[in-house]
């Protein structure tokens, strides 16, 4: 369990740092239509990650998923940070441990201006093997 927390904290920390560096922008027009939009999360060795977002009134429903795709990787995490450009944010992280295991998490948030995502893979000892490239979804 401690290893899972380490993966989630590492992924969330990387996203928060990247989020502070991104500039302000508006929600894309495609998000305002109400249909679910899927996205891929830049991969790291042995980990597949993806997600979706959908506008629900004045809120946004966000879902992130991660899958351990090779025996050489002990586990992985995918995380997303939704924020409005200020100090307030909401984080979601999906963590999986074990070959061919998949984990998905979803949340509904009022922070609708920005969403950034990232993925990490890890070794058996709980150390991060590889951190993926942070991607801004909107």
């Amino acid at each position: 369990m401690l290893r899972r927390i380490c993966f989630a904290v590492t992924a969330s920390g990387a996203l928060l740092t990247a989020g502070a560096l991104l500039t302000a922008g508006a929600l894309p027009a495609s998000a305002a239509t109400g249909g679910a939009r899927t996205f891929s999360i830049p991969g790291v060795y042995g980990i597949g990650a993806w997600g979706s977002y959908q506008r629900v009134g004045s809120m946004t429903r966000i879902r992130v998923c991660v899958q351990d795709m090779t025996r050489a990787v002990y586990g992985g995490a995918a995380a997303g940070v939704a924020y409005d450009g200020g100090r307030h944010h909401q984080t979601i992280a999906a963590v999986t441990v074990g070959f061919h295991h998949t984990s998905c998490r979803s949340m509904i948030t009022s922070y609708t201006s920005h969403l950034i995502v990232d993925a990490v893979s890890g070794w058996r000892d709980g150390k991060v093997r590889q951190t993926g490239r942070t991607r801004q979804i909107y």
Side-chain angles (χ1 to χ4, degrees):
M1 184 64 167
L2 181 58
R3 289 185 183 125
R4 290 181 183 190
I5 293 170
C6 290
F7 283 130
V9 169
T10 302
S12 298
L15 290 171
L16 290 175
T17 302
L21 299 175
L22 294 173
T23 59
L27 187 64
S30 61
T33 63
R37 305 290 183 203
T38 60
F39 56 84
S40 62
I41 299 173
V44 294
Y45 177 75
I47 299 296
W50 64 94
S52 65
Y53 66 92
Q54 179 179 10
R55 290 283 286 173
V56 181
S58 64
M59 311 284 267
T60 301
R61 175 180 291 128
I62 300 169
R63 178 181 174 99
V64 295
C65 298
V66 63
Q67 181 179 23
D68 187 341
M69 300 172 64
T70 183
R71 293 183 193 280
V73 172
Y74 184 73
V81 176
Y83 63 101
D84 276 339
R87 297 176 73 185
H88 302 286
H89 65 274
Q90 194 168 358
T91 305
I92 182 171
V95 180
T96 186
V97 174
F99 180 56
H100 269 181
H101 289 177
T102 302
S103 176
C104 293
R105 297 288 181 262
S106 61
M107 72 174 180
I108 296 178
T109 182
S110 61
Y111 301 120
T112 59
S113 293
H114 302 284
L115 173 63
I116 57 174
V117 295
D118 195 2
V120 297
S121 63
W123 299 103
R124 181 174 293 279
D125 63 2
K127 294 182 180 175
V128 173
R129 177 183 182 139
Q130 185 180 9
T131 302
R133 182 177 51 87
T134 302
R135 178 177 178 205
Q136 183 172 359
I137 304 301
Y138 57 78

